[in-house]
Amino acid sequence: MYGLHLTGVTGTGLLPASAADAARPRIVIRHARQDPEPECMGTARAVLGLPAGRQLLLSRGEGTATFTGPRLSDDELVHPYLGAVASVFSRWGGREVFHAGAFVFGGLAWAVVGGREAGKSTLLAALAAREVPVLADDLVVTDGHQAFCGPRTIDLRQLAPGATAPVTPVRDASRWRLALPPLPGAVPIGGWIYLCWRAEVGMHAVPASRSLARLAVRRSWPALPSDLQVLLALSARPAWDLGRPADWTRMDHSVDLMLQTLQAAILPQASGRPQASGRKSSSPASAHALRKPATSRAATAAESR
């Protein structure tokens, strides 16, 4: 998950299959009962406060993540709590982590960035309804070249009117969980889509300088060091503002505009980096997503966090 090899997680099929890759950091997930410790964030050890009196103790040298306090259910552990483990260990390992979602289109991963209740999970659920692969719901972890697959789930605050997608209540019935199909462990990163609420649907290019400023402030654990060259490379990738009203009836228009914009920006023979182009992608998956009848109003749901 997120480019990490996790052990000690049992009873769930919502994690991506672990690839046989010796380069993946190996982390042991443990549970323990012990007295609370002072919270801290360092380059080798971290103690994070969690709800309900829990703490998360992370040791870089030992490769362990220890949850203390009341034992978490498998549903809670997979999401959101393993995200905290992945974000810290990924930052320790030199990767960048952003509070964002991601989907795959034209063979590339596109990050969907926004604040809390910006509609990230809503948009991802609408894409899933069109059979567009969703790579991650809540975190985008990248080494500067590829984005890593997250848990195979989208957690939603509420279902859209008339929703028919199969979902399961989780997290004390505070969320509806939509299961996602398997995906490869990592996908080359394409670019960025910044979400905002607007009176009308519109999508506009964002210059690299502005994208860099946004990415810099949206890094997880900004007190930990980052590689400026990686941030510069990430900000140089195509980026857009996607504005849309908070209106279920405009969701299909928003998705259509976004996918059409991306398709026009991807070269037919993907070389690993999209470029501005008027030529259409020849990817069958991309074409299918654009041709597929609009179904997002029946299958999408409100933002998860």
Side-chain angles (χ1 to χ4, degrees), residues 163-246:
T164 59
V167 293
T168 304
V170 294
R171 296 161 66 178
D172 294 327
S174 66
R175 301 290 190 275
W176 295 97
R177 179 159 290 177
L178 172 66
L180 299 171
L183 276 186
V187 177
I189 192 163
W192 309 91
I193 297 166
Y194 297 103
L195 298 183
C196 53
W197 299 116
R198 294 285 187 269
E200 297 296 331
V201 176
M203 193 162 176
H204 306 283
V206 174
S209 58
R210 191 176 304 168
S211 189
L212 175 62
R214 293 180 182 182
L215 293 177
V217 300
R218 290 193 177 277
R219 292 170 298 150
S220 294
W221 311 113
L224 295 176
S226 289
D227 186 334
L228 179 58
Q229 294 305 313
V230 171
L231 286 175
L232 287 171
L234 289 172
S235 67
R237 296 181 182 274
W240 295 267
D241 280 328
L242 175 60
R244 69 269 188 259

Side-chain angles (χ1 to χ4, degrees), residues 241-262:
D241 280 328
L242 175 60
R244 69 269 188 259
D247 182 350
W248 295 115
T249 65
R250 306 298 298 277
M251 176 62 74
D252 291 323
H253 184 188
S254 301
V255 174
D256 287 341
L257 175 61
M258 181 179 68
L259 295 182
Q260 290 164 4
T261 302
L262 294 183

Side-chain angles (χ1 to χ4, degrees), residues 20 54 58 117 123 187 218 263 296:
R54 297 183 178 95
L58 303 169
E117 298 189 14
L123 183 62
V187 177
R218 290 193 177 277
Q263 185 165 351
S296 61

Side-chain angles (χ1 to χ4, degrees), residues 260 262-269 275-282:
Q260 290 164 4
L262 294 183
Q263 185 165 351
I266 300 172
L267 289 174
Q269 304 299 323
Q275 301 178 27
S277 172
R279 300 167 64 184
K280 301 295 184 181
S281 169
S282 59

